[in-house]
Amino acid sequence: MSVPTALSAPAGEDIEEVSIEENVRSYFKDIPVMAKIARCESHFRHFGSDGSVLRGDIVPSDVGVMQINEYFHADTAEALGLDLHTLPGNLAYARDLFEREGTTPWLASVKCWGRDNHIARK
């Protein structure tokens, strides 16, 4: 399976000059609900105030902009060659997870992003 890992910045901009929100919206332009989920899960933040990868307040094993749970997904992400602590790796794994399971892994925040947007797979 081919998992996309690159993020694209608008022409003439470095990736660092484009906000995380813009990267998320661009990366998931074909799956808009995933941008809604990122807004709800992390407020489009990938890093905490100390510069380390963002961790969940309630579940510290949830990491990054898409709040991927390391306990359940770190081994699979590693097997795919993805680092959940990087923005590209976090987004690429979220896309892979969505393709396999739909929005089900993010149902804890469904009240925020909308039950009508839920997509089940399997």
Side-chain angles (χ1 to χ4, degrees), residues 34 41 55 59 61-64 66-85 89-107 122:
M34 294 301 284
E41 291 284 343
R55 293 201 169 268
V59 182
S61 58
D62 292 345
V63 298
M66 298 306 297
Q67 291 291 277
I68 305 293
N69 187 285
E70 290 177 305
Y71 179 80
F72 293 106
H73 300 286
D75 290 343
T76 304
E78 186 176 331
L80 292 170
L82 301 172
D83 181 352
L84 296 175
H85 296 145
N90 199 271
L91 293 177
Y93 189 80
R95 178 178 287 275
D96 178 75
L97 188 57
F98 173 82
E99 289 172 1
R100 289 184 283 121
E101 299 183 31
T103 56
T104 300
W106 295 278
L107 280 179
K122 276 195 182 182

Side-chain angles (χ1 to χ4, degrees), residues 107-118:
L107 280 179
S109 64
V110 73
K111 285 184 179 180
C112 177
W113 51 265
R115 188 165 301 281
D116 292 342
N117 294 307
H118 175 55

Side-chain angles (χ1 to χ4, degrees), residues 22-86:
E22 290 169 313
N23 272 296
V24 170
R25 289 189 186 283
S26 175
Y27 190 79
F28 289 120
K29 66 182 172 236
D30 59 327
I31 316 170
V33 68
M34 294 301 284
K36 291 178 183 180
I37 289 171
R39 179 183 52 80
C40 294
E41 291 284 343
S42 67
H43 305 282
F44 295 110
R45 294 175 298 139
H46 187 72
F47 301 103
S49 58
D50 65 356
S52 65
V53 69
L54 181 71
R55 293 201 169 268
D57 291 331
I58 297 169
V59 182
S61 58
D62 292 345
V63 298
V65 69
M66 298 306 297
Q67 291 291 277
I68 305 293
N69 187 285
E70 290 177 305
Y71 179 80
F72 293 106
H73 300 286
D75 290 343
T76 304
E78 186 176 331
L80 292 170
L82 301 172
D83 181 352
L84 296 175
H85 296 145
T86 67

